[in-house]
Every structure is written in structure tokens, then in C-alpha cells.
Amino acid sequence: MSTRRHLLQTLLAAGCAPALLSARAASANHFALGLASGTPRADRVVLWTRLVGPALPAQCPVQWELAEDEGFSRIAAHGEETALAEEAHSVHAEPQGLRPDRWYWYRFRALGQQSPVGRTRTAPAADAPVGRLRLAIASCQRWDHGRYAAWGDVAGQDLDLLLFLGDYIYESPASANPDAPRRHQGGTCHSLADYRARYAQYKGDPQLQAAHAAAPWINVWDDHEVANDFAGLVGQDLAPDFPARRAAAMQAYWEHMPFPRAWKPRDNELRLYHRLDWGSLARILTLDDRQWRDPQACPKPGRAGSNTVNRRDCPALDQPQRSLLGAAQEQWLARQWDRERPWNLLAQQTLMARCDHGSANSGERYWTDGWDGYPAARRRLLQDMQAAQARNPVVLGGDVHAHYVADLKQDFERDDAPVIASEFCGSSISSEGLPQARLDGLRARNPHLQLARSDVRGYVLFELQAGQLQARLRQVDDPWDAASPVRDLARYVVEAGRPGPQPA
Ligand code: FE
Ligand code: CA
């Protein structure tokens, strides 16, 4: 891969003198997990890396540099962090006082080695006029379901921002087939060491590294960063030690994301939800629908977690007090909607549009892990959004391993109910989806779903201007080919002032 070549060139150019290092240390690339940047603001951005290699000291000084040019002739900020064994030798450098709305380049140096170079940027000042924003949403990169051609495509898109909406790792064990082209190393993740090793495996991928090195990311998690279908402090297997497992997973998650130090988990909590204003153009709101949710309604006997249930057999589904976000986050969100900026982007985990899996015989059937499992909470969110007169709300999601394009309504049961928001739920980078035949069968009972495609892997590209949002649903031709072509599956636009996506 060109990234590997680039990394080698960088190391050679930096004059790493192998003769001065022990043979073992010289053979280890301490920056083998690449680098990342994220959580951008108008005056700051977080720079991330993690040192790896045998026999790293418990405390390891790491120098970082941020420059206004790719050749590092105009240094804007520099500093030193200490990578600690107790934080998996991760680095979260936080240059501050930067200029808004501009690109920077960054690199690290540690143990006599120079990292590759990453490109990042600050957000525009909150009140600054902004003509355009290019971003992408992506999610669900299960290692043993495919290679990462989608990330290679992302890296070449000249994005301002990438929103990663969950399932960065999967906690599941190695597949049974020893000949599978990619397998998880190790068993199911339970301990901090397990989760750290899993992140290291995923982050070794050169195309994922290239996507990180190309633009700042905003990250939120879903369930698989911890365990399938978890809800608050309850795991689907009802294991009594789940809170300790979640704490380990949360620590490893913070260590491996470009999050500020101030976000380091405390008391088994990580404040992930936040707001980012992209100048005068857009408000971006990110949610965490895992950490504070009520358990899923009507689970399978002896278990917690998701189920697919008939509405009439599961009265708990419609209990008004059940929440997907938790009371504090719901109240926070109700106050964030913007009536000034042309666009409100709600970056959250899963499909928000109603998706009735039933038939004339069965009546309504819902999957309880997504918003369909929390219909009263969805109604509250959409009511709050309307009451706040949010301008052009667009809901972005992942989780379901399918491209969905949908009209959002207060009342999905009435075909003539007004469309109040637009939804784009992006397919997975690699994780396999449901059979397409099942999604084809959904359209009759869910006419607000304009597109539903579980048979393609990919992500969604957006370009926003004040009057229009353009969306391109990207499709990977061959998920097992790291060099696969990636193309547009479909294009949509949302016109400001007219809720609902339209085919372009
Ligand atoms: Fe997933
Ligand atoms: Ca998920």
C-alpha cells in the first residue's frame, strides 16, 4: 500500500539510525498503529497516536509538531506528552490557540523514530460565514467480514470531517474457519488487555490509517466497542460483572480515539455527546444511545438485549417513560437545536425511521434494539426538534449494515403525515447485512423508506451548502478486495426549506 511505502520513506527520511538502537527495538515500528486527529474546534484539535513495540518504558516522552504546511517549515504549535503504560502508551496531544477554519499537518517523534504525517483542520469560528462543508459518515468495520477498500476511498475524498458512528471494533472471538481471509486474534473481549489488543489489530490496517491521516474525525460508539446489544450497565448475557467489562472497554475506547484528556472516563462514564458548530453553515450534534438507555423491551427468555417482537404482545415497547438517550441527554438535546444555521445534523448510532418488519398476518413487528424499540422516546425527540424550530434537520446513523434513505415523520402510520426531517443511515464499511430480500419486503409497509440496501458495503459522502445538501451513497464492489473500486450507488439532495431527501 502507498501508506506503508510512505511510512517507510518517512522513517528513512527522518534519519532513524538503526545502529544506535538495539536490534529488537530497531525492528519494531513504534508508530505501526498510525495516527489520528479528531474532536476539532475552532481553536484546537486533538492529535492521537499509540506507541507499540516490545519493552516500551512505562513512561515514554513523545514530541509532537503541528505545522501550517506539509513540509513543516511553519510550525504552529509543538509540545511533549508522556505516553504511559497505564494508558496503553496512547497520546492525546491538544494544541490550542490555533487559527479557525484552516488545515494543519502533524507528526510525532518518540524513541528515535518519526511518525508518518497526518493532515487535520480546525473548525470555522462559530459565527464565521462558511460556504461549504464536505463530510462523510461511516460505521461498522468488522475485521473478519471484509477488507477496507472503503477507507481507501474515504482517504482520497478531501473531506473536512469524518463522523464515525459506531462499531469501530467488534468484541467477538476469532471465526471458526481457520482459512478465513481475515480473523480476529484472540477470544471474546472482556479485559482491558483484550480490548487494547483488538484495537491494535484493527488499527494495523493501512487503509484505515490513511483515512485517519486525511481528516479529523468525530467518534461515537455503538454496542460492539463493548458488547453486542448492551444497554446502560446491562449486558445481553446478564453477567453480573458487566459493569467492570464496560469500564475496561470504555477505558480502551478513550485510549484509542482522538479524544481530549478531559474526556478520560471517570466513574464508568464517558461524556460522548456534544455539539460542534461549523461556522454559520451547520450545527452538528452527536449522541450516545448506549450508555444511558433503558434495557430493550421484551427480550428473549433468560436474556437481555434485542429481540424482534409483535407490538401487540409487548406492551413495554410503548411505555412512555422508556428512554434511548437517558433523561439528561434528552434534555440536553432539546436545548441544542439551531434555528439560525441552515443545517442541523444529528449524528447518532442507528436507524431512526420506523421499520415495521410485520405482515398483514402478524401485525406490526419491531426490532427492539433501535429507535423502534423506544417509540415514545423517538416521538419526544422529534417533537422537541419541531418545537425548537430546528432548521433543516438531517439525521445520520449506522448500526444496521445497510444504506437507508428515509423521510422522518411524527406519525409514520399516516401516509399523508408531513415529512419533518431527512434521514441517511450509512451502510457498514465491512460488516455483513441482512439478506436483501428481507429489506425489499419492508417497502410496502414502510413507504417512508426511499431506499433500503443491505447488500452493499460502503459509507455516505455529503456536501453541504446553505441552500442544498448533496448525498452520495458509496458502494464497495468487492468487500474482500482491498483494492476494490468504490462507486456511487445513488445520489440524493435535500433542498433547504423542503424536508425529505430527493433522488438526484
Ligand atoms: Fe455493526
Ligand atoms: Ca451496532
Side-chain angles (χ1 to χ4, degrees):
M1 289 319 304
S2 64
T3 308
R4 278 204 179 122
R5 224 164 30 236
H6 177 69
L7 191 136
L8 191 64
Q9 282 162 354
T10 308
L11 289 173
L12 292 172
C16 283
L20 300 177
L21 304 168
S22 76
R24 206 158 69 126
S27 68
N29 170 13
H30 298 303
F31 295 103
L33 303 189
L35 36 70
S37 71
T39 326
R41 297 289 181 266
D43 63 344
R44 69 192 68 188
V45 63
V46 179
L47 312 178
W48 177 93
T49 192
R50 173 187 163 189
L51 303 181
V52 290
L56 291 177
Q59 300 188 5
C60 201
V62 181
Q63 289 83 37
W64 56 268
E65 283 182 309
L66 184 84
E68 293 183 351
D69 64 311
E70 200 168 1
F72 288 84
S73 64
R74 298 193 306 280
I75 302 293
H78 61 94
E80 182 174 297
E81 296 288 313
T82 304
L84 303 170
E86 68 204 57
E87 295 175 351
H89 292 98
S90 63
V91 178
H92 303 73
E94 299 174 61
Q96 301 188 7
L98 304 178
R99 286 159 57 189
D101 198 16
R102 69 156 296 145
W103 288 97
Y104 290 96
W105 285 260
Y106 63 99
R107 64 187 176 188
F108 299 93
R109 190 171 181 85
L111 299 166
Q113 292 182 3
Q114 183 87 61
S115 77
V117 171
R119 180 172 173 264
T120 192
R121 60 164 299 154
T122 48
D127 55 357
V130 173
R132 193 183 82 144
L133 166 61
R134 281 176 58 83
L135 61 83
I137 60 168
S139 60
C140 295
Q141 51 169 341
R142 188 162 163 158
W143 182 266
D144 51 1
H145 282 188
R147 294 201 169 87
Y148 289 166
W151 284 132
D153 191 62
V154 164
Q157 291 293 347
D158 195 22
L159 298 176
D160 294 306
L161 194 60
L162 185 120
L163 308 178
F164 190 86
L165 302 179
D167 292 354
Y168 192 99
I169 57 163
Y170 283 71
E171 82 287 5
S172 38
S175 58
N177 174 11
D179 301 322
R182 297 226 283 192
R183 299 179 76 206
H184 279 147
Q185 290 159 10
T188 305
C189 297
H190 282 280
S191 69
L192 180 53
D194 297 337
Y195 286 106
R196 284 172 171 170
R198 189 57 53 85
Y199 281 103
Q201 183 178 10
Y202 279 54
K203 280 184 164 288
D205 186 281
Q207 295 191 98
L208 173 59
Q209 292 183 9
H212 273 299
W217 289 32
I218 288 177
N219 286 82
V220 283
W221 69 1
D222 191 31
D223 52 343
H224 288 288
E225 284 87 349
V226 182
N228 185 48
D229 281 0
F230 87 94
L233 287 167
V234 180
Q236 67 173 352
D237 54 4
L238 294 167
D241 65 349
F242 182 75
R245 184 183 183 189
R246 191 183 91 166
M250 186 181 278
Q251 169 71 17
Y253 181 59
W254 174 80
E255 287 170 355
H256 291 84
M257 296 298 125
F259 290 156
R261 293 206 64 84
W263 290 19
K264 189 174 173 181
R266 251 175 294 176
D267 303 324
N268 211 348
E269 285 208 324
L270 169 62
R271 168 71 188 264
L272 269 180
Y273 59 90
H274 66 276
R275 177 180 100 199
L276 171 62
D277 288 332
W278 202 265
S280 61
L281 184 61
R283 172 160 291 183
I284 301 167
L285 302 166
T286 55
L287 299 185
D288 174 353
D289 80 11
R290 285 287 162 192
Q291 213 173 152
W292 299 283
R293 67 160 70 189
D294 285 308
Q296 295 88 345
C298 309
K300 291 168 184 154
R303 293 174 69 77
S306 68
N307 200 354
T308 301
V309 301
N310 279 29
R311 185 177 180 184
R312 60 171 180 257
D313 300 335
C314 181
L317 201 65
D318 286 296
Q319 278 171 7
Q321 71 276 21
R322 293 180 67 253
S323 177
L324 189 63
L325 304 176
Q329 190 177 191
E330 277 195 22
Q331 287 156 20
W332 171 84
L333 178 60
R335 294 191 303 269
Q336 304 306 315
W337 296 110
D338 195 339
R339 66 169 87 177
E340 305 295 330
R341 292 177 183 78
W343 299 99
N344 281 270
L345 304 182
L346 185 65
Q348 46 88 59
Q349 281 72 41
T350 192
L351 182 67
M352 187 173 283
R354 190 200 67 177
C355 191
D356 178 0
H357 289 260
S359 65
N361 287 338
S362 71
E364 292 169 70
R365 278 178 70 75
Y366 294 113
W367 180 57
T368 57
D369 195 55
W371 282 101
D372 279 337
Y374 302 80
R378 176 171 57 201
R379 213 170 301 124
R380 276 196 299 279
L381 185 152
L382 293 173
Q383 278 165 359
D384 289 344
M385 183 192 84
Q386 275 201 294
Q389 298 177 282
R391 285 184 71 192
N392 300 304
V394 179
V395 174
L396 309 173
D399 178 41
V400 289
H401 307 174
H403 279 309
Y404 281 99
V405 176
D407 299 321
L408 290 178
K409 301 168 162 195
Q410 197 61 262
D411 183 354
F412 291 107
E413 273 139 58
R414 274 183 35 229
D415 284 358
D416 62 344
V419 178
I420 58 172
S422 310
E423 177 167 27
F424 295 91
C425 188
S427 186
S428 55
I429 291 291
S430 57
S431 308
E432 290 162 4
L434 292 170
Q436 182 60 35
R438 270 191 66 183
L439 272 72
D440 291 339
L442 290 170
R443 300 288 294 283
R445 288 175 72 88
N446 301 281
H448 51 274
L449 300 179
Q450 298 192 32
L451 177 143
R453 289 289 298 273
S454 58
D455 58 337
V456 294
R457 311 281 64 85
Y459 70 100
V460 190
L461 273 173
F462 296 95
E463 181 163 326
L464 278 80
Q465 296 178 3
Q468 191 185 65
L469 171 151
Q470 297 172 28
R472 292 164 58 194
L473 280 54
R474 301 291 281 168
Q475 164 184 357
V476 177
D477 283 356
D478 177 358
W480 280 110
D481 177 5
S484 170
V486 182
R487 66 186 74 241
D488 282 354
L489 167 73
R491 291 178 182 228
Y492 285 82
V493 296
V494 180
E495 303 286 355
R498 181 179 170 188
Q502 306 164 54

